Every structure is written in C-alpha cells, then in structure tokens.
Amino acid sequence: KAWEMVVMRNPIELTSIGNNLKMLGLIPMNQSLALSKIATYFGVEIDEEKVHTAEYDVWLGTQVLKHYNQLIAK
C-alpha cells in the first residue's frame, strides 16, 4: 500500500497505438507489434540478453514510443 502512495503508474499501451498507426497506413499491416519486433522495425538494436527484463523492456518501450511520436508528427 505504501508503494501505491508514492508511485504513479500511467501505463501506455503500445500495441493499441501501433494498431492505430497500422490503420492509418503508417506501419505495414503485417508488421508484428511485439515489443522487440516493432523496435527492430524502427532500427533499434536489440540486446537479446536483456530482453524481458523490467528495466530493458521499459527502455525498449520508450524507444518505440519515440518512433511512434515521430510517425504521428509527420
């Protein structure tokens, strides 16, 4: 309970954003939206030893989100 008092979580659903970008034609419809797959699509180099660790997945998610934002900004 103390954790919830000092930590704010606002999860961002990257898959939903990715699906919307697919519908807009900004990402190919056949592109996988799995975190490492979509990161690779955007040219992010994947460290296979760190995949599925909390810290790395958060970092990877931020990289994908940056690329999503770039697509939206165009």
Side-chain angles (χ1 to χ4, degrees):
K1 189 165 180 129
W3 177 264
E4 297 297 328
M5 291 173 48
V6 296
V7 175
M8 186 173 110
R9 293 184 309 141
N10 288 323
I12 297 173
E13 180 47 55
L14 295 175
T15 303
S16 295
I17 298 169
N19 279 323
N20 284 318
L21 294 172
K22 282 183 173 187
M23 288 187 282
L24 293 170
L26 298 174
I27 295 175
M29 288 301 285
N30 64 344
Q31 174 59 49
S32 170
L33 296 175
L35 186 55
S36 60
K37 300 283 187 188
I38 192 65
T40 299
Y41 170 77
F42 286 124
V44 177
E45 189 172 327
I46 305 298
D47 184 341
E48 295 295 338
E49 292 180 14
K50 295 181 180 177
V51 171
H52 302 305
T53 63
E55 184 177 357
Y56 187 74
D57 282 1
V58 168
W59 178 82
L60 205 52
T62 61
Q63 301 311 302
V64 170
L65 188 57
K66 287 177 187 178
H67 287 281
Y68 283 174
N69 287 333
Q70 290 172 359
L71 288 178
I72 294 166
K74 287 183 180 180

